[in-house]
Amino acid sequence: GEGRPARISPLYEKLKSKGCIFTEGFGWERAKWFSLDGRVEDHSFRRNNIFEVIGAECRAVRERVGIFELPSFAKFDLTGKDVEVFLNRLTANRVSQQNDGIVLAHALTESGRISTEFTITRLASDHFYLLSGAYAYQRDLDLLRFSKRADEDVTVTDITNDYSILILAGPHARSVLSKLTSADLSNAAFRWLTGKEIDVAGIRVRALRVNYVGELGWELHVPMNRVVALYDAVWAAGEELGIADFGLYAMNSLRMEKAYAGWGAELTNEVTPIEAGLDRFVKLDKDFVGRAAVLKAKESGVAFKLVYVEVDAKNADVFGGEPVYAGEKVIGVATSGGYGHIVGKSLAFVYVNPGYDAPGAQLSIDILGERCTARVLAKPVYDPENLRLRA
């Protein structure tokens, strides 16, 4: 804990007073979970004394509405007439053709491996808003600045410290937000995977209809100096609908139920998008950095594939790094996991050799010295059709 807190948002003290237990990411303090009864976590790789507390945070998001501040994302504004061309060269996906459109796009190395994952929102024809992981900040800032060609009209503005993000997610998210804005939040006017600048509680925010938990909701990107006012307004509007704070522990459980791969765990510079199963985010009909290597990986086959599994775990869940077996043969490694509190299943992501990746394939994973059987799943265990996100 020495040197903490190093980077905090203005909301830090308020969340702390509400029982927030923080962890840090690239210096930023971020909510891990909320201790509502004064309990202290017994740290363990097994399910511990806050297991049911995390379950309650997950249920709040899935059944009602949850709020979570995540100030730590790397945030960049890109402007200029050549930004679209620039981004289409830099990332494997294609940026949105429509203003307001959001895409997930990966920048690759020359060898076709995943360097970073951007969420790219097109705010105007010549203005894009890029988000990436806290730990990717320095590298991504360099990547954006150094990838620009001399003759390209592209301006990269680092706004990481200027904005915080309030994640509002759950079936009541629209009801809460509509009390605070005159903007049309209907599906027709504000579709999933779009982002707009709107006023919420009199505060101008960038509202992105996207999240990492798989529910109806918006990320509210708010000027850092207005985050407390926005949080207070959202909380007051959500109180009668059962709004609750949640943190990273709950988010991990919720994203595992949705089979959302994580940058830095599943998505690393050791794998191409082909191994990671990201084919749908790769547009091979355009030129981009790493394209030749991706084509080669597609043609010559890969050494391993990412699969999503359900684990017969007893009292401990996959943490990451555990060996994966078929019989007595090691055929892979787990990258991350967690207990899905809503579906009541222990879930994990593992990389396995080809031939062990078919849905229904039986594997086993060594968790804290105990061999647990695991089955490859064909689709997310929670809302595979994304009906909740589109609600």
Side-chain angles (χ1 to χ4, degrees), residues 78-84 99 122-128 153:
L78 270 64
T79 52
K81 67 173 173 20
D82 297 321
V83 177
E84 182 172 353
N99 290 350
R122 183 169 200 154
L123 294 175
S125 63
D126 58 352
H127 182 187
F128 291 80
D153 175 19

Side-chain angles (χ1 to χ4, degrees), residues 122-142:
R122 183 169 200 154
L123 294 175
S125 63
D126 58 352
H127 182 187
F128 291 80
Y129 179 39
L130 272 61
L131 297 160
S132 62
Y135 291 97
Y137 164 74
Q138 199 61 63
R139 242 175 31 186
D140 287 353
L141 184 55
D142 285 351

